[in-house]
Amino acid sequence: MIRKYSWVILASVTIATSSVAAQPAVPLWKTVPEAPPMIKADESGLAPVNGINMYYAVFNKGAGDPVILLHGGFGNSDCWGFEVPLLSKAHRVIIADSRGHGRSSMPDQPLSYDLMAADVIRLMDYLKIDKASIVGWSDGGIIGIILAIRHPERVNKLFTYGANFNRSGYMEEPPDSAMSARYMAQSEAAYRRLSPTPDGFGKLKKALRELYSMEPDLKPADIRTIQAPTVIACGEHEQFIKRGHSEELARLIPGAGLVVLPNVSHGGPLQDPTGFHHALAVLLDADK
């Protein structure tokens, strides 16, 4: 019997500082932290998937329920540098670079969320993983939602952060331009360091802008079909996705929970990795 969740949490996290009286010059939710270096994987490589070479890495390969971590747009799987060491203590963890991102290649074809979801399924086949929990941040969360809809037999549990299911969920006001500039600078530097086509960041930007102009385009009826135990998470100061949209997404999924992480924005998994991991562990370890 599948255990269902029907609750709303405003997560509370204590953030350590060097001085109790000291106040950060910039609020946590306006910071753009970088992830620490990724720990050594048990296995890594390039999987031939739907006409691309898709980078993946596996941690704690021999034990634990499999969990796949999916990153956001312009990023790469190294963004999970805080989460992987924590999660791999009890789970087999798989990270992957979406097509055109990080170390994965991208042919001359439009990006779509359905295509990137199909890539994850083929990667699971390549790694002989029948079923896994999916953890997705931003674009990765959208991919996770599509996987739970299109391939329910392959998804154990679903955790999304900062994801929307259609374009009505986007904020109408523009995000903080300084934060966006810092994030894009970090993303381009990482792309040049990791990509098999280091001068192709402009191509990726064009492909993603075209994608975002049309997708996601899921209907409430699609969302209601999700049966995996699910948590929809977002930051208190989320700057891209409307809070009401996240709340609607959680309401539409039978038994889903909603988590709002305090004092963080779209970058919550890096701004408050401890709070993010705690919220994730509540879902993944609920039946243990």
Side-chain angles (χ1 to χ4, degrees):
M1 180 177 180
I2 297 176
R3 182 177 179 181
K4 291 298 183 181
Y5 305 85
S6 183
W7 31 260
V8 176
I9 293 178
L10 181 63
S12 178
V13 182
T14 300
I15 302 169
T17 62
S18 58
S19 170
V20 174
Q23 296 296 322
V26 178
L28 184 64
W29 61 271
K30 284 196 170 189
T31 62
V32 187
E34 295 197 46
M38 186 60 68
I39 63 174
K40 182 176 175 56
D42 294 339
E43 174 189 346
S44 64
L46 295 171
V49 167
N50 293 333
I52 65 168
N53 292 318
M54 188 173 189
Y55 172 80
Y56 71 92
V58 183
F59 306 84
N60 192 14
K61 183 177 178 181
D65 299 329
V67 181
I68 299 175
L69 304 179
L70 303 176
H71 64 81
F74 299 105
N76 62 78
S77 58
D78 287 353
C79 74
W80 298 110
F82 283 115
E83 184 57 42
V84 168
L86 299 172
L87 198 58
S88 61
K89 293 177 182 178
H91 299 273
R92 178 164 41 131
V93 177
I94 300 94
I95 60 173
D97 290 343
S98 295
R99 62 171 51 220
H101 295 69
R103 307 159 187 83
S104 295
S105 61
M106 182 172 69
D108 292 326
Q109 68 184 113
L111 286 178
S112 75
Y113 289 116
D114 278 335
L115 179 56
M116 290 189 282
D119 291 343
V120 175
I121 292 296
R122 296 287 79 81
L123 178 63
M124 292 174 67
D125 293 342
Y126 179 83
L127 296 174
K128 297 180 171 55
I129 297 172
D130 293 330
K131 195 172 188 177
S133 293
I134 305 295
V135 179
W137 177 2
S138 193
D139 280 9
I142 298 169
I143 295 168
I145 291 167
I146 290 173
L147 288 170
I149 293 169
R150 311 270 196 258
H151 303 277
E153 76 286 355
R154 308 297 295 269
V155 177
N156 183 20
K157 297 178 180 180
L158 173 65
F159 186 100
T160 75
Y161 184 88
N164 56 314
F165 67 92
N166 61 39
R167 298 185 69 252
S168 71
Y170 290 127
M171 291 279 199
E172 295 170 1
E173 62 270 20
D176 185 305
S177 59
M179 286 182 68
S180 296
R182 291 197 299 273
Y183 174 73
M184 292 303 292
Q186 287 182 9
S187 298
E188 183 168 7
Y191 182 95
R192 289 184 178 278
R193 184 177 71 253
L194 299 173
S195 176
T197 55
D199 294 326
F201 192 68
K203 178 181 176 181
L204 176 62
K205 285 199 292 186
K206 182 175 183 294
L208 283 173
R209 285 169 181 163
E210 291 174 354
L211 172 66
Y212 298 155
S213 73
M214 298 180 291
E215 299 184 25
D217 188 28
L218 296 166
K219 305 297 188 289
D222 300 321
I223 304 301
R224 292 190 184 99
T225 67
I226 295 176
Q227 293 300 309
T230 298
V231 167
I232 303 301
C234 62
E236 181 184 10
H237 299 279
E238 167 66 45
Q239 69 269 46
F240 297 111
I241 310 301
K242 299 173 184 174
R243 171 75 64 83
H245 186 84
S246 297
E247 293 169 352
E248 180 186 9
L249 179 55
R251 284 195 302 268
L252 288 170
I253 300 172
L258 174 69
V259 171
V260 180
L261 291 181
N263 202 31
V264 298
S265 55
H266 197 69
L270 291 175
Q271 293 165 341
D272 181 12
T274 301
F276 178 86
H277 176 72
H278 174 74
L280 175 58
V282 169
L283 173 69
L284 295 182
D285 301 334
D287 300 326
K288 293 184 177 181

